Amino acid sequence: MISTFTAEQTAGRIGAAQILPVLRTATAEEAHALALRLLSLGLTALELTATTPGWKDVLTALRSEAPQALIGLGTVVTGSDAEQAFEGGAQFLVSPYPAPEVRTIAVSSDRLFIEGGFTPGELAAGTARGVAKLFPAHVGGPTYLKSMLAVLPGTRIIPTGGIPISDVPLWLDAGAFAVGVGSDLYAGGDVDATVGELLAALPRTIR
């Protein structure tokens, strides 16, 4: 299934969702079950990861089973993975650091590429092309993001990496375009309660 969303339309949907769950699991079965669970609880966008064995099968299945959801692939650092991701129906790609080959493939097909960076220069380059990923976000915290936005006003940055659920509102208040959340969202056991608390704490309603 090939996405019909442009890069800008996809970015808009992620910004509206506010939360971008990052699913890094040991098996494809875990990723598949977790993705369906999170979507059933009201989350609208998901990032699978290329470090998960069998990720392409999961991606293909989810695009069929949850056509209204926004599904992308993260930890993409090679052109091969980028091409396979788009073949499987990925609507966006995410890298942990600048990845020119992946960027070229995404831009050539008008798909959103969220490029990782940490320094002002890396974030400026990423946001110049649309949306950047601040990684690892926990190193600088919301204050660091606020400082970056002071010199990069109006840019769209998604902090990801080591962010506890309780800090998500702080990141949004600091100006995050959306917030990438990982194992803290689903490793505690009671996924339903955790997602419910998170949605209730958001400063605006997911749509």
Side-chain angles (χ1 to χ4, degrees), residues 1 21 23 25 28-40 44-49 52 54-73 88-91:
M1 179 182 297
L23 279 55
T25 61
E29 290 76 16
E30 289 178 277
H32 184 233
L34 179 58
L36 291 177
R37 188 63 189 157
L38 293 175
L39 293 173
S40 75
T44 59
L46 293 172
E47 177 188 328
L48 302 174
T49 53
T52 299
W55 60 263
K56 188 175 181 181
D57 290 337
V58 180
L59 174 61
T60 302
L62 290 174
R63 295 300 298 124
S64 175
E65 297 163 345
Q68 301 306 312
L70 196 66
I71 311 291
L73 184 71
Q91 294 158 296

Side-chain angles (χ1 to χ4, degrees), residues 110-205:
D110 195 18
R111 309 290 183 83
L112 180 65
F113 176 45
I114 304 172
E115 191 166 52
F118 188 80
T119 68
E122 289 171 340
L123 293 173
T127 56
R129 290 182 283 269
V131 183
K133 167 182 172 177
L134 171 60
F135 180 83
H138 71 90
V139 174
T143 301
Y144 184 75
L145 173 63
K146 187 172 290 188
S147 296
M148 291 299 99
L149 291 175
V151 297
L152 299 170
T155 56
R156 299 179 290 190
I157 299 175
I158 301 177
T160 307
I163 297 178
I165 294 302
S166 59
D167 285 356
V168 169
L170 298 177
W171 284 98
L172 291 171
D173 287 344
F177 183 63
V179 181
V181 289
S183 60
D184 201 49
L185 180 64
Y186 52 80
D190 193 344
V191 177
D192 293 40
T194 301
V195 172
E197 291 171 7
L198 174 60
L199 295 180
L202 293 179
R204 63 187 189 277
T205 303

